[in-house]
Amino acid sequence: MTNTSITKYAHSCVTLTQGETTLLIDPGAFTPQGPELLQSAHAVLITHDHPDHIDVNAVRAAIDARPELTVYGPAKVAELLSDDDTPGITVVEPGDTFGAAGFEVRAVGGQHAPLHPDMPAMTNVGYLVEDVYHPGDSYDVPNAPVETLLLPTSGPWTVFAQAVDFVRAVRPRQSVQIHDSLLSDAGRQAMTTFLGTDGLTGIPLLTLEPGQTL
């Protein structure tokens, strides 16, 4: 994307900014900057209903304060946020395409990566924002070119071998580490070593500090 900046915040939260317009993805409870980011975002994408991806109270407060704010997410997200008179919530399903904050977005996947056979299946929608891909909690591969992959590197559902195969299948020009709050600095560096240029994928894996912009 030309003249677009990607800013990584704590855990799985990122913003994409083009000029004066900002698209916010997954402002969850692990992201202390979430309420502030919601104040300035022009649109919000939520991948699924887990609290590390959506701070329900913060998003509800933002919708109440800014009725013009549009929030996109799967049906379970809408159920968490909706009252009978709640405006600005759009349900998305895999395969949907739409414009948000001036960006072209395509919904991908549909299922959260499994945690354990004893747990029921969960929904998750990844977002391909032009050529930047945020998969949420999944290893779903979009059928489209990806310039920058936002790569989850920690969590109870992540599997290192699957992460390697995921990067190889997506074939981005570069990856950026997200969903990393459960890792120490040493753990983040290990992911960079094993999943990066000199590791098993041959593709650069960038580790950004919260608030750092690419």
Side-chain angles (χ1 to χ4, degrees):
M1 287 184 292
T2 304
N3 300 323
T4 298
S5 61
I6 303 169
T7 303
K8 197 267 188 194
Y9 293 93
H11 201 52
S12 202
C13 180
V14 301
T15 59
L16 302 181
T17 302
Q18 201 166 50
E20 300 298 319
T21 305
T22 298
L23 179 63
L24 174 62
I25 308 177
D26 276 4
F30 288 7
T31 307
Q33 308 94 333
E36 178 183 350
L37 295 171
L38 284 159
Q39 292 178 14
S40 57
H42 294 86
V44 183
L45 307 180
I46 307 294
T47 60
H48 62 290
D49 59 324
H50 290 170
D52 57 327
H53 294 260
I54 177 172
D55 183 334
V56 173
N57 290 335
V59 176
R60 280 179 175 166
I63 292 172
D64 289 342
R66 302 174 56 210
E68 74 279 8
L69 180 64
T70 303
V71 178
Y72 300 85
K76 286 187 174 295
V77 167
E79 290 171 9
L80 287 177
L81 295 174
S82 296
D83 295 321
D84 291 339
D85 58 351
T86 303
I89 301 171
T90 300
V91 174
V92 297
E93 297 181 351
D96 287 351
T97 59
F98 54 94
F103 294 93
E104 182 180 340
V105 182
R106 180 156 69 91
V108 176
Q111 292 295 314
H112 191 292
L115 277 77
H116 190 275
D118 289 349
M119 298 185 69
M122 298 166 285
T123 59
N124 176 91
V125 173
Y127 295 104
L128 183 62
V129 184
E130 298 184 15
D131 57 11
V132 176
Y133 181 39
H134 191 309
D137 284 5
S138 80
Y139 294 126
D140 287 309
V141 177
N143 184 24
V146 174
E147 174 79 6
T148 300
L149 169 63
L150 305 174
L151 176 64
T153 56
S154 77
W157 61 273
T158 56
V159 178
F160 177 75
Q162 291 182 15
V164 172
D165 292 341
F166 177 53
V167 176
R168 289 176 174 176
V170 175
R171 298 179 61 83
R173 186 178 69 83
Q174 61 188 2
S175 300
V176 175
Q177 196 163 180
I178 64 166
H179 208 274
D180 55 352
S181 289
L182 300 185
L183 294 178
S184 64
D185 289 342
R188 291 186 181 91
Q189 182 56 52
M191 292 300 102
T192 301
T193 299
F194 290 112
L195 290 170
T197 306
D198 298 326
L200 292 165
T201 70
I203 293 169
L205 175 60
L206 308 179
T207 301
L208 305 181
E209 295 302 319
Q212 188 174 354
T213 297
L214 174 66

